[in-house]
């Protein structure tokens, strides 16, 4: 399939605009012979005459005018795209899709999202609640623009823009010995306790596995929460 040469269409458009090949060549700073050759090659490819050269002026045929109309539509399309890109660059108008872990959703919706929407009323947001693995898959498939997750798995095609450290929190019954102290507890101190851990397919679960690896301590949970491994 032949693809129309944009430069050749520009030559044809300039002939219509300036009324002659020589004037078009002068305005484009191109050799008139080069324009003539390009137009002749296009005529040979599409099999119809697109312009007629007269003594002083040049005029387009009906197919030539159709090609110029197509070229103008390309120019209009470029203007529209650039305007949209400018709006997106300046955050004036557009749509942003976000995959977000359940652990972030309440804090994200309560203040950051509301303040963002006040500052950028033309931007529409859509949220997809997803586990870390699902969020990475959605990014890879270009279903969302970015994701906020716990301990997302490394991916060669994706880039992490912001990372924040946060302590793992232990939930213990009131009065439990592990909750009595004022300092953080270590894995060594909890390894003999009766534990319930989140499934390792989640971001939080992988954080626990990461801490196990760097501490060289293996936790043996009595219960593993697989309810967190939900597909959204």
């Amino acid at each position: 399939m032949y693809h129309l040469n944009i430069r050749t269409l520009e030559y044809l458009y300039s002939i219509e605009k300036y009324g002659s090949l020589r004037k078009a060549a002068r305005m484009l700073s191109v050799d008139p012979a080069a324009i003539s050759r390009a137009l002749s090659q296009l005529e040979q490819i599409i099999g119809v005459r697109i312009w007629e050269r007269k003594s002083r002026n040049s005029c387009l045929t009906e197919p030539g005018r159709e090609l110029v109309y197509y070229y103008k539509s390309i120019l209009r399309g470029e203007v529209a795209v650039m305007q949209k890109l400018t709006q997106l660059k300046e955050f004036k108008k557009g749509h942003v899709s976000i995959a977000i872990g359940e652990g972030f959703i309440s804090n994200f919706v309560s203040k950051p999202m509301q303040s963002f929407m006040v500052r950028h009323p033309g931007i529409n947001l859509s949220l997809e609640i997803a586990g870390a693995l699902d969020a990475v898959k959605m990014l890879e498939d270009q279903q969302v623009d970015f994701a906020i997750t716990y301990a997302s798995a490394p991916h060669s095609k994706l880039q992490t823009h912001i990372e924040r450290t946060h302590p793992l929190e232990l939930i213990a019954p009131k009065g439990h010995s592990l909750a009595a102290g004022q300092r953080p507890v270590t894995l060594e101190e909890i390894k003999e306790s009766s534990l319930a851990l989140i499934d390792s397919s989640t971001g939080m679960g992988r954080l626990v596995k990461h801490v196990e690896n760097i501490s060289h301590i293996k936790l043996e949970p009595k219960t593993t929460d697989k309810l967190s491994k939900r597909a959204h």
Side-chain angles (χ1 to χ4, degrees), residues 140-181:
E140 185 179 12
D141 295 342
Q142 299 183 353
Q143 297 178 26
V144 295
D145 298 302
F146 67 92
I148 304 173
T149 69
Y150 287 109
S152 57
H155 196 291
S156 59
K157 295 181 180 178
L158 303 178
Q159 179 180 356
T160 299
H161 294 278
I162 299 174
E163 287 184 325
R164 292 289 184 270
T165 58
H166 193 279
L168 285 172
E169 295 183 351
L170 176 70
I171 301 174
K174 185 176 180 180
H176 194 281
S177 60
L178 291 173

Side-chain angles (χ1 to χ4, degrees), residues 38-51:
L39 296 178
S40 296
Q41 289 173 358
L42 178 57
E43 287 179 332
Q44 291 175 7
I45 291 169
I46 64 178
V48 293
R49 295 278 294 174
I50 58 176
W51 72 299

Side-chain angles (χ1 to χ4, degrees), residues 83-152:
Q83 289 176 342
K84 188 171 183 179
L85 290 175
T86 299
Q87 290 175 342
L88 291 173
K89 180 179 178 181
E90 298 175 355
F91 263 57
K92 290 183 177 179
K93 191 174 183 181
H95 181 268
V96 178
S97 299
I98 307 168
I100 186 168
E102 288 185 6
F104 291 102
I105 190 67
S106 59
N107 290 334
F108 182 77
V109 171
S110 62
K111 189 173 181 180
M113 191 173 79
Q114 292 182 23
S115 61
F116 177 90
M117 295 176 72
V118 169
R119 292 197 309 269
H120 308 286
I123 302 294
N124 296 322
L125 298 179
S126 63
L127 302 181
E128 295 282 349
I129 300 176
L133 293 179
D134 291 333
V136 169
K137 185 68 169 63
M138 293 170 74
L139 280 170
E140 185 179 12
D141 295 342
Q142 299 183 353
Q143 297 178 26
V144 295
D145 298 302
F146 67 92
I148 304 173
T149 69
Y150 287 109
S152 57

